[in-house]
């Protein structure tokens, strides 16, 4: 049976606005204390001067309906080791607002196009920030992505994804790939040549199944899959990554006994997902005693205007959503997808 999409490619766009929030963690000599970000807590100083120059930047992209703070252990560990970690909350696909995602993990097509651009805009703003920007290395950055965040990293690295239009019912997803390919459409994204390497946790790899989808991905990849992951089997990840131009640049490990969420920092009691997921969240990132304190900085507000069809406001907010004063404004384009209307926050 042939599958068809009823979405008209010529559909008109309607202007809208969305908000991105992000936090920048970096090494400083300030005294750290417990700081809460909703139900999450980390030992940090706030808005202190960086303790080094040429700090390597790492952008972190969370999973579907998630939060960057689910990786707070890893982020604070990296800050103590001398990195700056850019923790991005993707609009429409986070724990506060998952209107572009879904409980089943299938995102709307427009989200796949915008997620990589969120990263590029965030990196641009971090490098231009008046407090921290001059201390960051400007010759490239790395990424850490979990699940759809790993999709995001591969797209930033040059991967060419395909997806089904939103009007194709989820019931047909079990059909043979040959049938699904009849209605799959390309996701409009752009490679960022500044990306130097990427870490992929339980990557949502299915978007890169088409021939040549990873032909332009040349950065080294550190990949972690999970033995008990029913959403992203390790065999599927390994099979897809073999299509890279140089598979020898992939360093992969299947974590024994782990599930899809096992690479999270353990949940605080207020966010415990119950025994099924909490029991798998056993892998911890451990800080190194004696290193610089982790430092958190809320970056200022940034306007990022697309074509007349889409507009997004990027707000770099500190704890409690309070932006630092002296906001600067810049602009950048967001890729759009012809198959679906834009997000209405």
């Amino acid at each position: 049976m042939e599958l068809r999409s009823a979405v008209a490619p010529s559909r008109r766009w309607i202007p809208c606005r969305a908000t991105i929030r992000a936090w920048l963690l970096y090494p400083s000599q300030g005294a750290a204390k417990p700081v809460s970000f909703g139900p999450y807590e980390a030992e940090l100083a706030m808005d202190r001067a960086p303790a080094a120059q040429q700090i390597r930047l790492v952008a972190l992209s969370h999973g579907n309906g998630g939060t960057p703070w689910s990786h707070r252990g890893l982020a604070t560990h990296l800050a103590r080791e001398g990195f700056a970690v850019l923790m991005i909350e993707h609009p429409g696909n986070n724990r506060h607002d998952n209107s572009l995602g879904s409980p089943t993990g299938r995102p709307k097509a427009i989200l796949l196009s915008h997620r990589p651009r969120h990263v590029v805009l965030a990196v641009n703003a971090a490098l231009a920030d008046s407090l921290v920007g001059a201390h960051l290395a400007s010759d490239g950055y790395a990424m850490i992505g979990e699940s759809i965040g790993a999709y995001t990293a591969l797209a930033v690295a040059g991967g060419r994804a395909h997806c089904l239009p939103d009007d194709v019912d989820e019931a047909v997803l079990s059909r043979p790939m040959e049938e699904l390919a009849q209605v799959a459409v390309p996701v409009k994204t752009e490679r960022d040549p500044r990306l130097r390497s990427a870490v992929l946790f339980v990557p949502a790899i299915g978007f890169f199944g088409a021939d040549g989808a990873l032909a332009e991905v040349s950065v080294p990849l550190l990949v972690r899959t999970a033995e008990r992951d029913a959403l992203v089997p390790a065999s599927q990840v390994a099979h897809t990554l073999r299509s890279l131009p140089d598979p020898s640049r992939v360093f992969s490990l299947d974590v024994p006994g782990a599930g899809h969420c096992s690479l999270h920092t353990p949940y605080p009691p207020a966010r415990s997902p119950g025994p099924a997921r909490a029991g798998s969240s056993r892998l911890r990132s451990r800080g190194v005693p004696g290193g610089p304190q982790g430092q958190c900085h809320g970056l200022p507000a940034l306007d990022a205007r697309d074509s007349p069809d889409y507009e997004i406001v990027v707000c770099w907010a500190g704890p409690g959503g309070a932006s630092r004063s002296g906001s600067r404004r810049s602009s950048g384009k967001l890729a759009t997808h012809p198959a679906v209307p834009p997000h209405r926050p």
Side-chain angles (χ1 to χ4, degrees):
M1 174 178 161
E2 185 179 24
L3 302 177
R4 295 184 180 276
S5 169
V7 177
S10 61
R11 191 166 190 165
R12 296 291 298 172
W13 292 91
I14 302 171
C16 61
R17 297 170 71 86
T19 298
I20 299 173
R21 297 196 304 165
W23 296 261
L24 191 60
L25 275 62
Y26 55 91
S28 81
Q29 296 297 339
K33 62 180 181 180
V35 180
S36 295
F37 301 86
Y40 303 96
E41 187 176 278
E43 291 278 339
L44 300 167
M46 296 299 297
D47 294 325
R48 298 294 183 89
Q53 297 290 335
Q54 293 298 301
I55 303 171
R56 289 292 174 186
L57 182 64
V58 180
L60 193 154
S61 179
H62 63 75
N64 176 54
T67 169
W69 294 105
S70 63
H71 296 285
R72 63 199 178 281
L74 175 59
T76 53
H77 169 72
L78 289 173
R80 292 188 180 101
E81 289 294 293
F83 293 90
V85 184
L86 184 58
M87 302 176 71
I88 304 162
E89 184 179 81
H90 292 280
N93 192 216
N94 59 70
R95 75 181 189 92
H96 302 289
D97 172 17
N98 198 27
S99 55
L100 296 184
S102 76
T104 63
R106 179 188 177 189
K108 290 183 170 58
I110 194 67
L111 177 68
L112 298 175
S113 184
H114 283 183
R115 254 181 167 266
R117 190 56 180 161
H118 297 160
V119 174
V120 174
L121 292 171
V123 169
N124 292 347
L127 293 172
D129 183 69
S130 59
L131 178 63
V132 184
H135 295 263
L136 301 177
S138 59
D139 60 345
Y141 65 95
M143 276 194 71
I144 298 172
E146 175 225 344
S147 193
I148 194 173
Y151 152 82
T152 306
L154 282 172
V156 173
R160 299 298 181 186
H162 286 70
C163 71
L164 297 178
D166 295 341
D167 66 325
V168 174
D169 192 273
E170 292 194 8
V172 308
L173 296 182
S174 60
R175 294 192 180 185
M177 290 300 297
E178 294 78 10
E179 290 188 28
L180 299 180
Q182 296 174 13
V183 292
V185 293
V187 178
K188 184 179 179 182
T189 58
E190 295 180 6
R191 174 178 171 268
D192 187 352
R194 299 174 298 177
L195 184 67
R196 295 289 183 262
S197 60
V199 177
L200 311 180
F201 292 158
V202 291
I205 203 78
F207 301 107
F208 300 103
D211 291 343
L214 298 178
E216 296 182 31
V217 177
S218 59
V219 301
L221 303 174
L222 178 67
V223 182
R224 292 293 179 262
T225 53
E227 181 187 30
R228 298 182 181 179
D229 189 348
L231 297 177
V232 186
S235 58
Q236 180 190 18
V237 176
H239 178 268
T240 303
L241 292 180
R242 281 197 289 269
S243 67
L244 286 163
D246 186 0
S248 69
R249 305 198 79 190
V250 178
F251 305 90
S252 184
L253 174 69
D254 192 38
V255 181
H260 192 71
C261 297
S262 290
L263 298 179
H264 289 181
T265 302
Y267 292 92
R271 290 290 297 167
S272 175
R277 289 178 64 185
S280 65
S281 297
R282 301 299 186 195
L283 304 183
R284 297 172 183 262
S285 299
R286 298 166 61 183
V288 179
Q293 296 294 331
Q295 164 72 41
C296 184
H297 172 53
L299 295 173
L302 171 77
D303 249 0
R305 298 178 182 274
D306 188 42
S307 67
D309 297 321
Y310 195 89
E311 181 178 61
I312 185 165
V313 178
V314 185
C315 177
W316 302 95
S323 298
R324 183 165 58 85
S325 60
S327 299
R328 64 181 299 276
R329 302 175 85 82
S330 180
S331 64
K333 290 183 69 64
L334 284 168
T336 55
H337 194 292
V340 293
H343 172 42
R344 298 174 185 271

